[in-house]
Amino acid sequence: MPEQVVVDYAFEFRTRVNKELHKRGWKDKDLANALGVGSDTIANAFKQFGSTTNLPFRTREQIRKLFNITDI
């Protein structure tokens, strides 16, 4: 996947998650608690968007499932 595409998807994903967090009155910390992970894990899931290593990828999948994001 070209680097710019990864950057665009990462930005879109973070924007969508932020909108969902705002709707619920949540912060990243609340998201981490809902997923049962640490705040650092959430931060790494966003920073390492193009990564397919196990933890960031699984965390993004959990976020997608929680917020019903199916197109990114």
Side-chain angles (χ1 to χ4, degrees):
M1 191 179 305
E3 187 175 330
Q4 186 58 44
V5 172
V6 172
V7 170
D8 291 345
Y9 277 127
F11 179 78
E12 178 66 22
F13 184 68
R14 182 63 191 183
T15 301
R16 297 265 296 278
V17 170
N18 281 343
K19 287 179 184 178
E20 290 295 327
L21 292 174
H22 183 71
K23 281 183 196 176
R24 297 170 187 233
W26 286 8
K27 298 194 180 293
D28 282 354
K29 178 181 166 185
D30 300 310
L31 176 58
N33 289 336
L35 297 179
V37 298
S39 297
D40 289 345
T41 303
I42 297 296
N44 286 336
F46 292 123
K47 289 179 192 172
Q48 300 172 9
F49 191 83
S51 172
T52 56
T53 58
N54 210 13
L55 191 57
F57 183 78
R58 280 189 312 169
T59 304
R60 287 190 302 272
E61 287 301 310
Q62 289 177 308
I63 293 169
R64 285 183 183 101
K65 187 174 180 180
L66 179 67
F67 293 143
N68 197 28
I69 298 172
T70 58
D71 57 341
I72 299 176

